[in-house]
Amino acid sequence: METIYALSSAGGRAGVAVIRVSGPATAAAVEALTGAKSPRAREATLRKISDPETGAALDRGLVLWFEGPASFTGEDVAEFHIHGGRAVVAGVLGALGRLPGLRLAMAGEFTRRAFENGKLDLTEAEGLADLIDAETEAQRRQALRQMEGALGQLYESWRGRLIRILAYAEAEIDFADEELPGDLLWRLGPEIEALASEIQSHLDDGRRGERLRDGVEVAIVGPPNVGKSSLLNRLAGRDAAIVSDEAGTTRDVLEVRLDLGGVPVALADTAGLREAEGSVEKEGIRRGLAKAHSADLRLVMVAAKRGGGVEGDFELAQPGDLRIVNKTDVGGGVEGALPISALSGEGIEALLATLTERVTALFGASENPVITRARHREGLEACGRELERALAGLRDDRSGELVAEDLRLAARSLGRITGRVDVEDLLDVVFRDFCIGK
Ligand code: GDP
């Protein structure tokens, strides 16, 4: 196994930079750079750091030593907390690179080794990546929970139940004198059904975890000139969209990113929905409509007209969408719609509050572990299908072996999500505290 090293903190000038080393040659690397034996494990120790070839001083910094397996990767690990100057970092990285058995780590390699050494499962590793990418409070909470194992534990508990069911089925098949599908259905059917329905309700989550991770899409829709760009600018607090009173200026979809109550929101201004004149505008409208349909939420906007009535309608509004009447500085509102004036700013705070409430209720961090990636969803859907097939097999009196095979596949589908696919090993463990037949 090669020893890897990398700058673990962000590149560029900084007060402190952290260089991490992991692998069997770590102790030797610490000794080479500090001229002394590895410090006591888990204690920050101030050391002079020098280039082992020339003996030239590179920096003074803290050295931390973690003896495997009690480390992040499960291997011997050292961290050099040095000054974050470019030349200092380059000097230490260069010195490490010249040591035998050391090479620069590839992207994600420390975490990969942690996974391979059983320090974390795949969902925890994904949670760690999401935590580093988290930009809002709710994203951070969701990622932290996943990194701490909430999602992995849920899937492992399901897999454990499934393996017990499977073990039972296999024991019956092995020990029974004749095939016993009727008996198996009676004994195992309810448990399989319960598990399948728990997985299904976990899947029916409105994709809230995935939306929180990726960002919630909100589209402002309405005919030209009702003030969509003006509202976008108001909400963004800057000039992101071009406001003009010439109809059809918003040729494409403009987006600003907002943090609403900890939920990341991409707010898009769509091209005005009206008869297009030019082909460019037509394309803009097509994209705008597509965006309006695919968005998680819409702000459907009409505008009050001088002398009464409104321009536009709420036809595109779906349940949960917000209905808005703009330009209430020139005319009246509409029952059931939020009155605003993008021009004067009136009603904007109330609109933001309502939008924040809606977005956090639908997509905010949830107390229960949630699916955060399509990968999880695919694994769970496959598991659900295989459980259904096992149930159908029991009902149709198929052979116990076929049913057991479906259960085994279902357990594998769950195992693939956490990266634990060792059904056979687990079966042995389960069988040890099992006594059926004899
Ligand atoms: P969009 O085509 O829906 O994006 O509309 P714009 O934001 O480009 O606005 C169209 C015109 O309406 C511009 O002249 C804006 O200044 C004007 N406008 C926007 N909001 C308001 C408002 O609240 N009150 C009034 N009186 N005019 C507004």
Side-chain angles (χ1 to χ4, degrees):
M1 178 66 75
E2 287 171 298
T3 297
I4 53 173
Y5 67 94
L7 177 65
S8 288
S9 50
R13 221 171 132 256
V16 176
V18 178
I19 290 173
R20 187 145 64 175
V21 185
S22 178
T26 303
V30 170
E31 212 173 313
L33 263 67
T34 63
K37 286 249 170 272
S38 294
R40 284 165 56 133
R42 301 159 180 281
E43 271 181 27
T45 310
L46 185 65
R47 289 276 171 92
K48 199 169 116 186
I49 296 161
S50 317
D51 187 323
E53 266 178 15
T54 62
L58 295 168
D59 194 10
R60 265 160 71 86
L62 294 178
V63 179
L64 283 125
W65 161 251
F66 304 88
E67 196 171 340
S71 70
F72 172 67
T73 59
E75 305 174 326
D76 285 350
V77 168
E79 285 181 8
F80 294 90
H81 293 217
I82 55 174
H83 291 102
R86 290 179 202 279
V88 179
V89 170
V92 176
L93 288 177
L96 285 169
R98 286 190 293 275
L99 294 174
L102 264 73
R103 67 161 169 82
L104 207 55
M106 292 180 289
E109 202 173 4
F110 288 97
T111 314
R112 184 176 180 137
R113 288 190 176 189
F115 166 70
E116 280 164 0
N117 289 320
K119 287 283 167 178
L120 33 75
D121 71 22
L122 288 182
T123 65
E124 290 163 358
E126 288 168 340
L128 172 60
D130 290 351
L131 187 63
I132 291 168
D133 288 333
E135 288 179 339
T136 72
E137 168 72 14
Q139 282 182 318
R140 181 184 62 68
R141 281 214 300 273
Q142 173 166 293
L144 186 61
R145 199 167 295 135
Q146 186 174 328
M147 188 189 77
E148 286 177 334
L151 198 61
Q153 280 157 22
L154 176 67
Y155 298 161
E156 277 302 291
S157 77
W158 283 341
R159 196 168 74 97
R161 271 162 67 184
L162 196 44
I163 285 167
R164 264 163 218 286
I165 295 171
L166 177 59
Y168 191 90
E170 297 212 324
E172 288 277 329
I173 293 161
D174 286 353
F175 295 116
D177 292 334
E178 69 262 25
E179 285 289 325
L180 289 166
D183 199 32
L184 277 181
L185 175 62
W186 181 73
R187 308 286 298 246
L188 303 178
E191 274 191 67
I192 299 173
E193 271 166 15
L195 187 58
S197 102
E198 274 178 57
I199 292 174
Q200 194 50 51
S201 60
H202 179 68
L203 277 165
D204 293 338
D205 64 350
R207 294 181 193 261
R208 75 183 285 151
E210 287 154 281
R211 275 154 167 168
L212 177 55
R213 179 173 173 268
D214 300 336
V216 175
E217 292 196 350
V218 178
I220 311 177
V221 294
N225 269 321
V226 291
K228 298 182 298 298
S229 312
S230 307
L231 174 66
L232 187 80
N233 288 344
R234 271 271 171 201
L235 293 180
R238 59 192 169 91
D239 280 338
I242 317 131
V243 182
S244 133
D245 46 19
E246 193 187 311
T249 46
T250 311
R251 291 274 162 82
D252 209 328
V253 179
L254 277 162
E255 233 177 51
V256 292
R257 295 185 71 83
L258 304 171
D259 176 345
L260 298 182
V263 177
V265 169
L267 182 71
D269 171 19
T270 59
L273 308 169
R274 59 163 207 150
E275 289 303 304
E277 272 151 26
S279 61
V280 175
E281 200 183 325
K282 227 177 230 155
E283 175 59 16
I285 289 173
R286 194 195 62 75
R287 284 191 213 172
L289 267 172
K291 188 91 190 171
H293 284 299
S294 69
D296 299 312
L297 212 69
R298 280 146 295 275
L299 305 183
V300 185
M301 191 185 237
V302 302
K305 285 200 289 205
R306 225 175 274 280
V310 294
E311 174 75 34
D313 55 50
F314 295 119
E315 218 171 88
L316 279 174
Q318 295 175 24
D321 286 350
L322 296 188
R323 295 158 182 238
I324 299 168
V325 184
N326 187 32
K327 307 196 188 180
T328 47
D329 53 298
V330 302
V334 173
E335 182 76 25
L338 286 162
I340 62 159
S341 169
L343 196 67
S344 74
E346 207 165 334
I348 299 292
E349 282 310 309
L351 166 63
L352 258 184
T354 308
L355 181 59
T356 303
E357 207 175 277
R358 185 101 11 136
V359 157
T360 49
L362 288 172
F363 308 112
S366 109
E367 288 310 312
N368 299 321
V370 286
I371 297 166
T372 57
R373 289 170 194 246
R375 194 180 77 77
H376 309 157
R377 189 168 290 283
E378 283 155 17
L380 293 165
E381 283 169 350
C383 177
R385 280 195 301 274
E386 285 139 6
L387 288 180
E388 287 307 326
R389 203 163 52 221
L391 277 170
L394 286 175
R395 289 194 201 103
D396 300 348
D397 250 14
R398 260 193 299 158
S399 84
E401 270 90 2
L402 284 178
V403 173
E405 186 52 26
D406 287 334
L407 294 173
R408 191 184 300 273
L409 287 174
R412 283 226 179 91
S413 294
L414 279 179
R416 264 198 294 273
I417 308 178
T418 53
R420 308 234 157 99
V421 281
D422 45 351
V423 180
E424 298 308 321
D425 303 355
L426 252 161
L427 272 177
D428 290 344
V429 174
V430 173
F431 268 122
R432 232 180 282 141
D433 54 42
F434 228 84
C435 53
I436 292 173
K438 37 193 116 161

